[in-house]
Amino acid sequence: MPSYGASGKFVFIATSIEGNNIKGEAHWYGTAAGDVKLPLLKAYVENGVLKAEQAGDTKFKLKMKGNEWAGDWDIKGYTGDLKAKR
């Protein structure tokens, strides 16, 4: 898979959590596609890793360690590192 070295801003908003399932949205700013705000189509926690999918074949995974999240994103075969702070 090709890797896309980019920087931008990522905001994750959880509106409800029921068991391991999460509802909410993720906002991506400064991306190659511009600023994108989409609801989560599917999001859940499995083995301590948040796994989420959005429209446009966007997927991301994050694992929390302290107040920081680290993982990766995948959009139609393009991938990259994803980091966030709580």
PDB file of all heavy atoms in Angstrom, residues 12-26:
ATOM      1  N   PHE A  12     -11.543  13.529  17.037  1.00  0.00           N
ATOM      2  CA  PHE A  12     -12.468  12.410  17.222  1.00  0.00           C
ATOM      3  C   PHE A  12     -13.503  12.813  18.259  1.00  0.00           C
ATOM      4  O   PHE A  12     -13.145  13.272  19.347  1.00  0.00           O
ATOM      5  CB  PHE A  12     -11.699  11.170  17.688  1.00  0.00           C
ATOM      6  CG  PHE A  12     -12.575   9.996  17.983  1.00  0.00           C
ATOM      7  CD1 PHE A  12     -13.073   9.227  16.948  1.00  0.00           C
ATOM      8  CD2 PHE A  12     -12.900   9.669  19.279  1.00  0.00           C
ATOM      9  CE1 PHE A  12     -13.893   8.148  17.215  1.00  0.00           C
ATOM     10  CE2 PHE A  12     -13.713   8.592  19.564  1.00  0.00           C
ATOM     11  CZ  PHE A  12     -14.206   7.822  18.525  1.00  0.00           C
ATOM     12  N   ILE A  13     -14.772  12.655  17.925  1.00  0.00           N
ATOM     13  CA  ILE A  13     -15.852  13.036  18.838  1.00  0.00           C
ATOM     14  C   ILE A  13     -16.740  11.822  19.074  1.00  0.00           C
ATOM     15  O   ILE A  13     -17.392  11.338  18.150  1.00  0.00           O
ATOM     16  CB  ILE A  13     -16.698  14.188  18.256  1.00  0.00           C
ATOM     17  CG1 ILE A  13     -15.807  15.400  17.989  1.00  0.00           C
ATOM     18  CG2 ILE A  13     -17.853  14.543  19.191  1.00  0.00           C
ATOM     19  CD1 ILE A  13     -16.455  16.460  17.128  1.00  0.00           C
ATOM     20  N   ALA A  14     -16.758  11.324  20.303  1.00  0.00           N
ATOM     21  CA  ALA A  14     -17.647  10.221  20.674  1.00  0.00           C
ATOM     22  C   ALA A  14     -18.912  10.825  21.271  1.00  0.00           C
ATOM     23  O   ALA A  14     -18.845  11.594  22.222  1.00  0.00           O
ATOM     24  CB  ALA A  14     -16.968   9.306  21.675  1.00  0.00           C
ATOM     25  N   THR A  15     -20.058  10.502  20.687  1.00  0.00           N
ATOM     26  CA  THR A  15     -21.330  11.026  21.197  1.00  0.00           C
ATOM     27  C   THR A  15     -22.035  10.036  22.110  1.00  0.00           C
ATOM     28  O   THR A  15     -22.836  10.426  22.940  1.00  0.00           O
ATOM     29  CB  THR A  15     -22.255  11.429  20.048  1.00  0.00           C
ATOM     30  OG1 THR A  15     -22.452  10.313  19.177  1.00  0.00           O
ATOM     31  CG2 THR A  15     -21.664  12.595  19.263  1.00  0.00           C
ATOM     32  N   SER A  16     -21.740   8.732  21.948  1.00  0.00           N
ATOM     33  CA  SER A  16     -22.280   7.729  22.861  1.00  0.00           C
ATOM     34  C   SER A  16     -21.433   6.466  22.796  1.00  0.00           C
ATOM     35  O   SER A  16     -20.847   6.139  21.763  1.00  0.00           O
ATOM     36  CB  SER A  16     -23.746   7.405  22.550  1.00  0.00           C
ATOM     37  OG  SER A  16     -23.865   6.640  21.373  1.00  0.00           O
ATOM     38  N   ILE A  17     -21.370   5.786  23.935  1.00  0.00           N
ATOM     39  CA  ILE A  17     -20.633   4.535  24.034  1.00  0.00           C
ATOM     40  C   ILE A  17     -21.551   3.523  24.690  1.00  0.00           C
ATOM     41  O   ILE A  17     -22.068   3.757  25.784  1.00  0.00           O
ATOM     42  CB  ILE A  17     -19.345   4.710  24.865  1.00  0.00           C
ATOM     43  CG1 ILE A  17     -18.441   5.754  24.217  1.00  0.00           C
ATOM     44  CG2 ILE A  17     -18.631   3.376  25.034  1.00  0.00           C
ATOM     45  CD1 ILE A  17     -17.247   6.161  25.050  1.00  0.00           C
ATOM     46  N   GLU A  18     -21.774   2.410  23.987  1.00  0.00           N
ATOM     47  CA  GLU A  18     -22.622   1.333  24.506  1.00  0.00           C
ATOM     48  C   GLU A  18     -21.814   0.048  24.427  1.00  0.00           C
ATOM     49  O   GLU A  18     -21.634  -0.504  23.346  1.00  0.00           O
ATOM     50  CB  GLU A  18     -23.904   1.225  23.684  1.00  0.00           C
ATOM     51  CG  GLU A  18     -24.781   2.459  23.769  1.00  0.00           C
ATOM     52  CD  GLU A  18     -25.997   2.380  22.857  1.00  0.00           C
ATOM     53  OE1 GLU A  18     -26.383   1.270  22.472  1.00  0.00           O
ATOM     54  OE2 GLU A  18     -26.539   3.444  22.541  1.00  0.00           O
ATOM     55  N   GLY A  19     -21.305  -0.402  25.584  1.00  0.00           N
ATOM     56  CA  GLY A  19     -20.430  -1.572  25.584  1.00  0.00           C
ATOM     57  C   GLY A  19     -19.153  -1.231  24.838  1.00  0.00           C
ATOM     58  O   GLY A  19     -18.475  -0.275  25.169  1.00  0.00           O
ATOM     59  N   ASN A  20     -18.842  -2.001  23.792  1.00  0.00           N
ATOM     60  CA  ASN A  20     -17.653  -1.745  22.978  1.00  0.00           C
ATOM     61  C   ASN A  20     -17.955  -0.908  21.750  1.00  0.00           C
ATOM     62  O   ASN A  20     -17.059  -0.590  20.979  1.00  0.00           O
ATOM     63  CB  ASN A  20     -17.014  -3.067  22.538  1.00  0.00           C
ATOM     64  CG  ASN A  20     -16.349  -3.793  23.687  1.00  0.00           C
ATOM     65  OD1 ASN A  20     -16.144  -3.233  24.749  1.00  0.00           O
ATOM     66  ND2 ASN A  20     -16.029  -5.043  23.478  1.00  0.00           N
ATOM     67  N   ASN A  21     -19.225  -0.587  21.510  1.00  0.00           N
ATOM     68  CA  ASN A  21     -19.626   0.171  20.321  1.00  0.00           C
ATOM     69  C   ASN A  21     -19.659   1.668  20.600  1.00  0.00           C
ATOM     70  O   ASN A  21     -20.138   2.107  21.632  1.00  0.00           O
ATOM     71  CB  ASN A  21     -20.994  -0.302  19.832  1.00  0.00           C
ATOM     72  CG  ASN A  21     -20.952  -1.746  19.376  1.00  0.00           C
ATOM     73  OD1 ASN A  21     -20.126  -2.119  18.548  1.00  0.00           O
ATOM     74  ND2 ASN A  21     -21.822  -2.570  19.931  1.00  0.00           N
ATOM     75  N   ILE A  22     -19.162   2.425  19.633  1.00  0.00           N
ATOM     76  CA  ILE A  22     -19.063   3.876  19.785  1.00  0.00           C
ATOM     77  C   ILE A  22     -19.772   4.562  18.633  1.00  0.00           C
ATOM     78  O   ILE A  22     -19.638   4.150  17.481  1.00  0.00           O
ATOM     79  CB  ILE A  22     -17.581   4.311  19.798  1.00  0.00           C
ATOM     80  CG1 ILE A  22     -16.857   3.614  20.959  1.00  0.00           C
ATOM     81  CG2 ILE A  22     -17.449   5.820  19.895  1.00  0.00           C
ATOM     82  CD1 ILE A  22     -15.360   3.728  20.894  1.00  0.00           C
ATOM     83  N   LYS A  23     -20.522   5.597  18.946  1.00  0.00           N
ATOM     84  CA  LYS A  23     -21.138   6.437  17.921  1.00  0.00           C
ATOM     85  C   LYS A  23     -20.496   7.814  18.009  1.00  0.00           C
ATOM     86  O   LYS A  23     -20.113   8.260  19.086  1.00  0.00           O
ATOM     87  CB  LYS A  23     -22.645   6.536  18.130  1.00  0.00           C
ATOM     88  CG  LYS A  23     -23.349   5.230  17.885  1.00  0.00           C
ATOM     89  CD  LYS A  23     -24.843   5.363  18.006  1.00  0.00           C
ATOM     90  CE  LYS A  23     -25.464   3.994  17.763  1.00  0.00           C
ATOM     91  NZ  LYS A  23     -26.894   4.014  17.873  1.00  0.00           N
ATOM     92  N   GLY A  24     -20.377   8.477  16.874  1.00  0.00           N
ATOM     93  CA  GLY A  24     -19.787   9.804  16.864  1.00  0.00           C
ATOM     94  C   GLY A  24     -19.328  10.189  15.481  1.00  0.00           C
ATOM     95  O   GLY A  24     -19.902   9.752  14.472  1.00  0.00           O
ATOM     96  N   GLU A  25     -18.288  10.982  15.426  1.00  0.00           N
ATOM     97  CA  GLU A  25     -17.760  11.426  14.139  1.00  0.00           C
ATOM     98  C   GLU A  25     -16.272  11.729  14.265  1.00  0.00           C
ATOM     99  O   GLU A  25     -15.739  11.848  15.359  1.00  0.00           O
ATOM    100  CB  GLU A  25     -18.511  12.633  13.612  1.00  0.00           C
ATOM    101  CG  GLU A  25     -18.593  13.797  14.558  1.00  0.00           C
ATOM    102  CD  GLU A  25     -19.556  14.870  14.071  1.00  0.00           C
ATOM    103  OE1 GLU A  25     -20.642  14.542  13.569  1.00  0.00           O
ATOM    104  OE2 GLU A  25     -19.194  16.050  14.194  1.00  0.00           O
ATOM    105  N   ALA A  26     -15.626  11.822  13.122  1.00  0.00           N
ATOM    106  CA  ALA A  26     -14.217  12.210  13.071  1.00  0.00           C
ATOM    107  C   ALA A  26     -14.076  13.326  12.050  1.00  0.00           C
ATOM    108  O   ALA A  26     -14.701  13.294  10.990  1.00  0.00           O
ATOM    109  CB  ALA A  26     -13.335  11.026  12.702  1.00  0.00           C
TER     110      ALA A  26
END
